């Protein structure tokens, strides 16, 4: 019984570790189409959506972590209400979104 419990605990610990490690993977899957792998946004979709350069430290200062988390969860619209970035609240967990925002911060040069 003890052994079984230990096995269960290590599986949970391993899964948590695996999830925490996959921000770059989530980035490539969900975000890079617009923001590009390096965060500079020089993709066709990125230019169309009007993304800005995450490598630019000055741009990174224009939003807080909390604002960034909210933007990723709820999406972003322009002044006319047209969607610029779709909401990811249904697709990604809170922890995944937090990890992605931390990842975005590492893209600043
Ligand atoms: C359809 C294209 C598109 C996709 C896909 C996309 N974004 Fe964005 N993102 C944008 C645009 C456009 C902006 C807004 C630029 C501006 O401020 O005008 C933006 C802004 C942001 C910001 C700045 C937040 C703020 O409050 O200004 C963050 C952080 C961000 N995106 C993260 C992500 C993450 C993480 C993903 C993947 C889960 C993602 N984006 C996917 C287009 C996209």
């Amino acid at each position: 019984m003890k052994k079984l419990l230990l096995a269960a605990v290590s599986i949970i610990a391993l899964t948590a570790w695996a999830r925490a490690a996959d921000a770059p993977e989530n980035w490539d899957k969900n975000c890079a189409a617009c923001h590009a792998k390096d965060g500079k946004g020089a993709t066709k979709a990125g230019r169309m959506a009007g993304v800005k350069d995450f490598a630019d430290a000055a741009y990174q200062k224009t939003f807080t972590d909390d604002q960034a988390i909210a933007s990723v969860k709820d999406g972003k619209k322009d002044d006319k209400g047209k969607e610029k970035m779709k909401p990811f609240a249904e697709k990604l967990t809170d922890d995944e979104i937090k990890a992605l925002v931390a990842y975005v911060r590492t893209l600043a040069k």
Side-chain angles (χ1 to χ4, degrees), residues 33-92:
C34 291
H35 290 288
K37 268 187 189 267
D38 62 4
K40 292 187 178 180
T43 67
K44 206 172 166 200
R47 275 191 293 268
M48 275 172 63
V51 297
K52 292 168 187 160
D53 182 1
F54 284 139
D56 179 357
Y59 170 50
Q60 291 252 6
K61 288 204 187 88
T62 65
F63 53 86
T64 64
D65 286 357
D66 285 348
Q67 280 167 342
I69 289 167
S71 301
V72 177
K73 268 193 196 170
D74 306 332
K76 273 190 85 98
K77 294 191 171 145
D78 68 13
D79 299 339
K80 295 184 197 103
K82 194 174 159 272
E83 191 171 89
K84 296 175 92 182
M85 173 159 97
K86 61 180 180 185
F88 285 93
E90 308 246 297
K91 218 175 162 195
L92 300 166

Side-chain angles (χ1 to χ4, degrees), residues 8-58:
V9 170
S10 16
I11 288 168
I12 292 166
L14 262 175
T15 336
W17 177 78
R19 289 194 77 79
D22 65 9
E25 198 186 315
N26 277 335
W27 177 261
D28 288 355
K29 263 200 290 202
N30 302 289
C31 323
C34 291
H35 290 288
K37 268 187 189 267
D38 62 4
K40 292 187 178 180
T43 67
K44 206 172 166 200
R47 275 191 293 268
M48 275 172 63
V51 297
K52 292 168 187 160
D53 182 1
F54 284 139
D56 179 357

